[in-house]
Amino acid sequence: MGILERIKEIEAEMARTQKNKATEYHLGQLKAKLAKLRTQLLEPPKGSSGAGEGFEVTKFGHGRVALIGFPSVGKSTLLTLLTGTHSEAASYEFTTLTCIPGIINYNDAKIQLLDLPGIIEGASEGKGRGRQVIAVAKSSDIVLMVLDASKSEGHRQILTKELEAVGLRLNKRPPQIYFKKKKTGGISFNSTCALTHIDEKLCYQILHEYKIHNAEVLFREDATVDDLIDVIEGNRKYMKCVYVYNKIDVIGIDDVDRLARQPNSVVISCNLKLNLDRLLARMWEEMGLVRVYSKPQGQQPDFTDPFVLSTDRGGCTVEDFCNHIHRSIIKDLKYVLVWGTSARHYPQHCGLSHNLHDEDVVQIVKKKEKEEGGRGRFKSHTTGPARISDREKKAPLKT
């Protein structure tokens, strides 16, 4: 029996099993088996020479955004409107067959936008080019899920399910569970709060399913069985996602208002070019990009070419800003002067751990070069002659 058949068999057994107190241990074991099989499904086959054919493109710019959606929802048209890059659009499905990159110039930053082929139900199992599409989405900073506003809400649930099946968690934070394997000592189970979804026995059964018999587990929140499995797997990626509802010009104003009020949602119309500026602003907000301008000593700040930092790409502290310029700056750094919303007064003397905000101005002050051998009477050498015979004779005192 292949992996796909075993996955379908476990999913069918989970569907017909009643959910109650007596079956929670059995369902927990089935979820662990299902997660293991899905991980094996994503691994390359044994004996293969390497990765299969894909359409990964080189990273460029200060951030990367991936367009994901069903065929013919307007992804190619949206790419053309935002970047000016031509992407073929037609009335039939699967017009785009490969990854087409484009560059958005917004707020003095360059954001790479990727138009990916449409994915269908079953993409996580390899149908269509779903695996390649999802692999590119994993390398992005955020995901734009483009949906057709005139169609049912089931499309959003199907796409979310397909992405979660391959380890993508949309708009979620990592669970507060500490997990560490050990060589001996058995399983140590502790929690700092009351647990309502999992207990010690169920945790042991899930760990034994992964053949883990020595580990330390600490729950810092009321997590579920799925959260524990995600921590054990260790290959989950938590990403931000913006749900973009296109074609709002073909539905009523009440439906537009309902969609716009949903969390993490933006309504647009590529046909009439409506609300695209709001989409760019929301994209910038979700990516968390921070522009920092440099100010040389004794000169005006340079507002033409900012340094763009982000929490996902290195961090936004003064230390990250210095490393972004050059790794050797920190060795000679004395302090920095900061102007902007992150400073309490202008200018503020800050250290390496200071968090920078958008549009801050930073001036780096380096340490002064010390004289060789110390200063004053603590000098370790003199500039005088080494031999007594070479010394200058003083004039005799006048009497």
Side-chain angles (χ1 to χ4, degrees):
M1 183 182 293
I3 297 178
L4 289 177
E5 288 77 9
R6 291 164 64 188
I7 289 176
K8 291 180 180 179
E9 182 179 344
I10 293 176
E11 288 178 344
E13 185 176 354
M14 292 176 59
R16 63 174 177 263
T17 302
Q18 295 182 355
K19 295 182 180 179
N20 51 48
K21 195 69 176 178
T23 60
E24 62 178 5
Y25 299 108
H26 179 60
L27 287 174
Q29 285 184 318
L30 292 178
K31 288 180 179 179
K33 291 180 180 179
L34 188 62
K36 285 178 59 179
L37 291 174
R38 282 177 173 166
T39 303
Q40 294 176 12
L41 188 64
L42 296 177
E43 294 176 353
K46 294 182 179 180
S48 60
S49 58
E53 182 184 358
F55 38 70
E56 177 62 64
V57 295
T58 305
K59 280 191 174 184
F60 181 81
H62 305 108
R64 169 180 274 197
V65 181
L67 295 173
I68 284 184
F70 280 96
S72 300
V73 293
K75 300 188 298 297
S76 299
T77 307
L78 181 62
L79 177 81
T80 304
L81 291 175
L82 295 180
T83 66
T85 304
H86 176 69
S87 181
E88 186 178 355
S91 58
Y92 54 87
E93 295 185 348
F94 297 104
T95 310
T96 304
L97 298 177
T98 185
C99 178
I100 300 177
I103 301 298
I104 302 174
N105 293 298
Y106 185 74
N107 285 346
D108 296 330
K110 295 180 180 179
I111 302 173
Q112 188 179 41
L113 186 64
L114 303 180
D115 179 21
L116 300 173
I119 61 178
I120 58 177
E121 189 173 3
S124 59
E125 300 174 357
K127 293 184 179 179
R129 303 200 69 180
R131 290 188 190 176
Q132 292 94 325
V133 171
I134 295 171
V136 176
K138 276 189 174 183
S139 66
S140 305
D141 297 313
I142 65 169
V143 171
L144 294 186
M145 186 182 292
V146 185
L147 303 165
D148 193 336
S150 62
K151 295 186 179 179
S152 64
E153 281 290 311
H155 286 186
R156 173 173 169 174
Q157 299 176 0
I158 293 172
L159 288 174
T160 303
K161 181 180 178 182
E162 294 295 331
L163 294 177
E164 286 189 347
V166 295
L168 274 176
R169 301 291 180 260
L170 303 180
N171 297 325
K172 294 181 180 179
R173 59 176 181 82
Q176 298 298 311
I177 301 175
Y178 173 77
F179 172 75
K180 182 180 180 181
K181 292 183 181 180
K182 298 188 299 184
K183 294 182 179 179
T184 58
I187 296 176
S188 173
F189 180 88
N190 293 292
S191 64
T192 60
C193 60
L195 301 179
T196 59
H197 304 287
I198 193 171
D199 57 7
E200 188 172 357
K201 180 182 176 182
L202 182 55
C203 178
Y204 284 5
Q205 289 183 347
I206 294 174
L207 291 174
H208 290 166
E209 186 66 36
Y210 282 92
K211 298 180 181 179
I212 300 174
H213 305 288
N214 300 285
E216 185 178 352
V217 183
L218 174 62
F219 285 81
R220 295 191 177 98
E221 65 177 5
D222 187 14
T224 62
V225 176
D226 296 325
D227 294 334
L228 177 60
I229 293 174
D230 289 347
V231 172
I232 295 173
E233 286 283 347
N235 57 358
R236 308 305 193 222
K237 183 166 185 182
Y238 298 84
M239 299 185 64
K240 295 180 180 179
C241 176
V242 178
Y243 303 100
V244 182
Y245 289 92
N246 189 22
K247 304 179 183 180
I248 59 172
D249 51 315
V250 299
I251 61 175
I253 188 64
D254 294 336
D255 294 331
V256 174
D257 182 69
R258 177 180 56 83
L259 295 175
R261 293 181 183 276
Q262 292 184 1
N264 305 309
S265 299
V266 178
V267 292
I268 64 169
S269 173
C270 293
N271 187 24
L272 300 179
K273 300 180 181 179
L274 293 176
N275 213 26
L276 296 180
D277 54 345
R278 174 58 187 157
L279 174 61
L280 289 173
R282 185 58 183 270
M283 188 190 310
W284 177 269
E285 178 184 347
E286 293 294 337
M287 294 182 71
L289 298 180
V290 174
R291 292 166 293 171
V292 180
Y293 300 96
S294 61
K295 179 186 180 302
Q297 296 186 25
Q299 302 180 22
Q300 293 295 324
D302 181 15
F303 292 109
T304 58
D305 189 15
F307 296 92
V308 182
L309 310 175
S310 69
T311 306
D312 298 331
R313 292 192 178 190
C316 301
T317 63
V318 171
E319 183 178 3
D320 302 323
F321 171 72
C322 295
N323 290 332
H324 191 82
I325 300 174
H326 200 276
R327 294 282 180 180
S328 63
I329 291 181
I330 295 181
K331 298 179 182 178
D332 303 326
L333 180 69
K334 185 176 183 181
Y335 61 87
V336 297
L337 298 176
V338 178
W339 293 261
T341 56
S342 68
R344 295 182 181 179
H345 48 81
Y346 298 154
Q348 179 180 345
H349 288 59
C350 299
L352 294 176
S353 61
H354 179 76
N355 286 314
L356 299 172
H357 293 178
D358 191 28
E359 295 187 319
D360 277 0
V361 177
V362 175
Q363 176 181 323
I364 297 176
V365 179
K366 294 185 178 181
K367 299 176 183 177
K368 293 183 179 180
E369 295 183 1
K370 295 181 180 180
E371 296 181 7
E372 186 179 356
R375 298 179 61 186
R377 64 193 184 97
F378 297 103
K379 285 185 177 181
S380 60
H381 71 283
T382 61
T383 57
R387 295 179 299 178
I388 296 177
S389 59
D390 294 336
R391 293 180 180 176
E392 295 180 3
K393 294 182 179 180
K394 295 183 179 179
L397 293 175
K398 295 182 180 179
T399 57

